[in-house]
Amino acid sequence: MSTTKIQTQKTAFYVLLTYIGFQLSGFIVLIPPVRKVFLHFINKDGAEAGIAIAGWWSAISAIIAFIVCIILINKNKNFWNIFKGEKASIPVSIGWGIIGFFLVYLGQSIGAMIELALGIDYGSENTETILLVTEIAPVMILASVFFGPILEELVFRRVIFGSLIQTQNFWVAGIVSSIFFAIIHLDFTHIILYSISGFVFAFLYYKTKRLLTSIIAHMMLNGFVTLVQMNADKIQQIMDQMPK
């Protein structure tokens, strides 16, 4: 095995460890002295205070994890060189990212119908939790819509899918990485929805050979869900006022 490949694998491993640390770092705000520091800056009481702290820490830890990943990746110029052939241009990659949003949305709609046929009710507990935190601490949007998707694409598409695709075909790499993507959301009732989304993101990355594409689609999906859910009442009022 070449020195370059070993170095790239190490970088991928460190990025994975950074993401795991980000996911587990929420326990830090449970430490009384740390929690007390946050309470000095949060004008909330009771349960809302705890939720606000969770939102702020999610945003802060996501930003920190993102910066650490960028530093790690910048030390290895070969980190992105996993596909043979020419990468899609930036405009084409952006275009596919936008198309990808609609592909993911379509895939989730099909997945929702499959789940309903299996007797699984619509609505994700994971999404509802994130939206609850966002309502109390809007800063959570930084984690759920911006830095979170970037970190997840780095880990599940570049690290996991990108490592597998070098020895396996697209289907194996795509399915395995999408299952891991679904598992990390800890919403096993809707594992079909998350797996479909992960597979489409993998396809977008594979299609353009640029992670930018799946990042755009992922951000747009999370942003759309957040926007719709946060304004559900207003949207319903508008629909009720429309002529029938």
Side-chain angles (χ1 to χ4, degrees):
M1 186 179 294
S2 66
T3 302
T4 299
K5 189 169 184 180
I6 292 174
Q7 182 183 6
T8 300
Q9 289 178 342
K10 284 184 178 180
T11 301
F13 179 67
Y14 292 146
V15 169
L16 177 61
L17 285 182
T18 300
Y19 178 75
I20 293 174
F22 158 62
Q23 288 291 334
L24 298 178
S25 67
F27 291 105
I28 292 177
V29 294
L30 297 179
I31 301 173
V34 177
R35 188 179 182 85
K36 188 174 182 180
V37 171
F38 272 91
L39 287 173
H40 281 300
F41 299 96
I42 293 176
N43 187 25
K44 301 286 183 181
D45 297 315
E48 285 195 357
I51 295 173
I53 291 174
W56 274 97
W57 182 252
S58 293
I60 293 171
S61 60
I63 294 172
I64 293 173
F66 169 76
I67 293 172
V68 171
C69 287
I70 293 302
I71 293 173
L72 290 170
I73 293 169
N74 281 340
K75 291 182 178 180
N76 183 1
K77 296 180 180 179
N78 294 301
F79 183 75
W80 302 111
N81 299 331
I82 61 172
F83 296 112
K84 295 180 180 179
E86 188 176 351
K87 297 178 180 179
S89 66
I90 297 298
V92 169
S93 298
I94 293 174
W96 268 105
I98 296 171
I99 293 172
F101 160 69
F102 293 101
L103 290 177
V104 176
Y105 191 77
L106 175 62
Q108 286 202 342
S109 298
I110 295 173
M113 289 189 289
I114 294 174
E115 288 186 347
L116 285 173
L118 295 174
I120 300 173
D121 293 333
Y122 181 77
S124 168
E125 183 177 339
N126 177 68
T127 301
E128 291 176 359
T129 300
I130 292 175
L131 290 172
L132 173 63
V133 176
T134 304
E135 288 179 357
I136 296 175
V139 71
M140 179 67 182
I141 291 176
L142 290 176
S144 61
V145 178
F146 295 102
F147 295 102
I150 294 175
L151 291 171
E152 289 184 352
E153 292 309 305
L154 277 172
V155 171
F156 297 101
R157 254 55 71 183
R158 168 53 190 91
V159 173
I160 298 179
F161 175 80
S163 296
L164 290 171
I165 198 64
Q166 296 179 61
T167 57
Q168 306 294 326
N169 62 42
F170 166 75
W171 289 96
V172 172
I175 291 172
V176 172
S177 62
S178 64
I179 290 175
F180 276 109
F181 175 70
I183 291 173
I184 198 66
H185 286 85
L186 300 177
D187 192 355
F188 300 107
T189 303
H190 299 286
I191 196 167
I192 294 176
L193 287 182
Y194 286 108
S195 294
I196 290 175
S197 299
F199 190 82
V200 174
F201 292 142
F203 163 75
L204 294 171
Y205 182 34
Y206 184 75
K207 174 71 178 178
T208 63
K209 300 180 177 63
R210 287 188 186 275
L211 198 66
L212 173 66
T213 307
S214 58
I215 288 175
I216 291 173
H218 199 156
M219 281 185 172
M220 287 183 67
L221 177 68
N222 287 18
F224 176 75
V225 171
T226 300
L227 181 65
V228 170
Q229 294 295 328
M230 295 289 288
N231 296 278
D233 293 338
K234 294 180 181 178
I235 293 174
Q236 186 60 50
Q237 290 178 1
I238 293 174
M239 292 181 66
D240 290 340
Q241 294 173 0
M242 292 178 66
K244 299 180 181 179

